[in-house]
Amino acid sequence: MKAPNHVPASIVTRNMSDFTAETGNVYESIAIISKRANQISVKLKEELNGKLAEFATTVDNLEEVFENREQIEISKHYERLPKPTNLAVEEFLEGKVHFRTPSEFDENGNLRAIEGQ
């Protein structure tokens, strides 16, 4: 995953009314952001594990295990990335997160027709 330049690496104070613009409800927005942050976290973890798996050894002897410079650099790169929560907040505020509410579905899981369409 490429590190976005515009996402702050640390915590930033936010105006809570910014979160209500899309959903009309702060708590619904936070739930959406939380789910997106979990998706990002899983994706990053799979990506990192895939890259580190290339360096995996089947050696059981601790004396034969050595540090791999490339492995360390990959790990440091992922440590420097913005946290998944920060990425999810930025995506949500930029309107890049697509979501559906449960009220859009009927009891069988089918998408309901939205009034006015």
Side-chain angles (χ1 to χ4, degrees):
M1 177 172 216
K2 188 175 88 172
N5 296 332
H6 65 284
V7 177
S10 62
I11 302 298
V12 176
T13 303
R14 304 276 183 183
N15 184 352
M16 293 304 286
S17 63
D18 293 344
F19 294 110
T20 62
E22 186 131 1
T23 62
N25 185 329
V26 173
Y27 301 106
E28 185 176 349
S29 297
I30 298 300
I32 292 166
I33 291 168
S34 172
K35 289 180 182 185
R36 179 62 184 138
N38 286 336
Q39 290 172 342
I40 293 170
S41 178
V42 166
K43 181 180 175 185
L44 285 173
K45 187 171 183 171
E46 287 174 354
E47 195 175 289
L48 175 61
N49 287 339
K51 289 181 179 182
L52 293 179
E54 297 172 9
F55 303 104
T57 62
T58 58
V59 177
D60 290 335
N61 188 350
L62 290 177
E63 295 172 0
E64 295 180 21
V65 175
F66 61 94
E67 290 183 326
N68 187 326
R69 191 129 192 84
E70 292 174 13
Q71 185 178 8
I72 293 170
E73 291 302 317
I74 290 171
S75 296
K76 284 183 179 180
H77 168 74
Y78 279 90
E79 288 175 5
R80 286 189 293 264
L81 288 176
K83 301 295 182 219
T85 304
N86 290 348
L87 292 169
V89 167
E90 289 299 321
E91 285 182 4
F92 183 81
L93 293 176
E94 292 172 2
K96 295 180 180 177
V97 177
H98 302 285
F99 59 92
R100 293 186 181 162
T101 58
S103 61
E104 294 177 2
F105 298 93
D106 63 14
E107 59 280 352
N108 297 325
N110 299 320
L111 190 61
R112 292 184 186 170
I114 299 174
E115 294 180 24
Q117 291 187 355

